[in-house]
Amino acid sequence: MRPIQARISLGALAHNLRVARDHAGAARVFAVVKANAYGHGLSRARRALAAADGFAVLTLEEAANLRLMGVQQPILLLEGLFGADEVATCAELDLWPVLHHVAQLDWLQRLPPARPLQVFLKFDSGMHRLGFPLADHAAIVARVRSLPGVAGVTLMTHFAQADEAAGVDWQLQPFLSEMADHGLPWSSANSAALLRYPTTQGDWVRPGLMLYGASPFAEVPASQLGLRPAMSVHSEIISVQTVQPGEGVGYGQLYRAEQAMRVGVVACGYADGYPRNAPTGTPILVNGRLSRTLGRVSMDMLSVDLSECPDAGVGTPVELWGEGLSVDSVAAAAHTSSYELLCALAARVAVQETD
């Protein structure tokens, strides 16, 4: 078999949920498991995160799969209904849709579900992505509360800069001020807000990235936050080349050797989910020793500098990211985010579960 493999630690997922709960105070915790649990596998995440108070997903298919797996907790649909025909399915599966535009309210009014739904009513407090305008809150809340198909309402917003210096107050305070008179439960905290701003706890928190052991903050490593990486990606060197001064490596010859050097070829490429735009110098571990990638990442392979790894050869283990090398550091070098790297893990990569 091709040697590349991802290892998913169920124990790390469970540990990270406990960290989230420690920060949540009295709030209940939705474990965000959309996008196949950020590449970790929905079934694995469901088992490892079974202690969550609820799960948050994107699609009816994900929600239905969780119900088939035996999940009894609330399931939140983060983008709500995509069509009127989904109202009945939400009632059948006891799903909690997020309502964020008028058409969704019209569908609920025109086709009231057989069983009234718990809904999350999303307001745009400044991100300008999804949500009703804050200025319209009185009319929107009144209309939703009047719908016979609605059993209960939780107010919701989402932060644009919880992971940056700008923080959350510029969104949180107007949201809380406008919503105060409604006397309804509320939810606002993503991973970054949960870790840094206790005032965002509300009644429900929605951690995602932190559950998988990555940091939402560019300047703070996940280990400093008490998080453990849930995904480790490993492969091996499958070839060794000796490159002379001035000779190039890989497509486009983007890296040229300044001196004679040994170059390892690793069985991992962008078709496995490794970022194609990762430049020379992206960190990589060769038999536990820190090294760097060289040149352009290919579809199935990448090159690594063996100058400081004299004993490395064909079959030497390599870690792309994981317990010894954080996914955040690889993402930073590749000018992308750990979200993208985790979610991009390809189906062709074999996965092993660990405790």
Side-chain angles (χ1 to χ4, degrees):
M1 290 180 62
R2 190 162 172 263
I4 187 170
Q5 180 187 76
R7 301 170 192 164
I8 307 296
S9 169
L10 304 190
L13 288 166
H15 167 84
N16 296 335
L17 175 61
R18 290 192 292 271
V19 174
R21 195 176 290 285
D22 287 344
H23 286 270
R28 289 180 286 177
V29 178
F30 274 121
V32 180
V33 293
K34 62 180 179 175
N36 197 30
Y38 290 43
H40 292 68
L42 186 61
S43 176
R44 293 184 198 96
R46 188 273 306 174
R47 286 181 278 125
L49 303 174
D53 299 299
F55 292 90
V57 297
L58 201 68
T59 67
L60 278 180
E61 181 182 15
E62 292 170 323
N65 284 337
L66 286 175
R67 289 293 187 231
L68 286 173
M69 294 172 195
V71 168
Q72 300 296 316
Q73 296 102 311
I75 299 177
L76 184 69
L77 293 174
L78 289 167
E79 290 184 5
L81 308 167
F82 294 103
D85 58 326
E86 296 189 349
V87 173
T89 306
C90 281
E92 179 184 350
L93 297 177
D94 191 20
L95 308 179
W96 297 7
V98 171
L99 306 178
H100 56 84
H101 64 76
V102 171
Q104 293 171 325
L105 308 189
D106 294 341
W107 299 335
L108 277 170
Q109 186 164 6
R110 189 171 75 249
L111 297 168
R115 176 170 55 179
L117 305 174
Q118 292 287 336
V119 303
F120 275 52
L121 190 55
K122 189 168 189 176
F123 286 91
D124 176 16
S125 58
M127 188 166 183
H128 300 311
R129 193 174 65 176
L130 297 181
F132 296 99
L134 271 182
D136 298 341
H137 70 91
I140 296 296
V141 171
R143 181 182 177 187
V144 172
R145 293 178 111 172
S146 73
L147 294 175
V150 171
V153 178
T154 298
L155 304 172
M156 177 181 179
T157 196
H158 192 65
F159 299 122
Q161 294 178 292
D163 57 339
E164 300 175 9
V168 300
D169 276 353
W170 67 275
Q171 289 183 259
L172 179 65
Q173 296 311 318
F175 172 75
L176 294 180
S177 176
E178 294 289 343
M179 300 301 169
D181 291 340
H182 297 302
L184 292 171
W186 57 279
S187 173
S188 69
N190 57 4
S191 289
L194 178 59
L195 288 166
R196 186 165 280 179
Y197 302 106
T199 55
T200 66
Q201 289 171 356
D203 296 273
W204 283 94
V205 296
R206 312 187 304 271
L209 184 67
M210 68 177 294
L211 297 179
Y212 306 99
S215 173
F217 309 114
E219 75 284 6
V220 183
S223 58
Q224 190 172 317
L225 298 169
L227 303 173
R228 291 170 46 193
M231 178 191 293
S232 297
V233 182
H234 300 261
S235 190
E236 294 177 4
I237 293 174
I238 60 171
S239 175
V240 176
Q241 302 291 329
T242 299
V243 180
Q244 300 302 319
E247 291 183 337
V249 173
Y251 287 122
Q253 303 283 274
L254 298 186
Y255 176 80
R256 291 189 178 274
E258 297 179 358
Q259 58 190 17
M261 63 186 300
R262 296 171 72 241
V263 175
V265 178
V266 179
C268 176
Y270 59 78
D272 299 300
Y274 198 86
R276 184 178 183 273
N277 62 327
T280 291
T282 300
I284 189 170
L285 288 182
V286 178
N287 203 21
R289 178 173 292 183
L290 185 64
S291 186
R292 60 175 181 153
T293 63
L294 299 174
R296 180 175 289 161
V297 175
S298 302
M299 181 181 288
D300 310 305
M301 292 169 279
L302 58 82
S303 297
V304 59
D305 186 353
L306 298 182
S307 299
E308 301 301 321
C309 308
D311 299 327
V314 172
T316 295
V318 170
E319 183 175 299
L320 288 310
W321 66 74
E323 295 181 3
L325 177 66
S326 75
V327 67
D328 301 316
S329 63
V330 178
H335 307 291
T336 185
S337 71
S338 48
Y339 294 88
E340 183 174 6
L341 267 61
L342 296 173
C343 291
L345 184 72
R348 75 179 192 174
V349 177
V351 177
Q352 177 189 6
E353 290 182 13
T354 65
D355 294 333

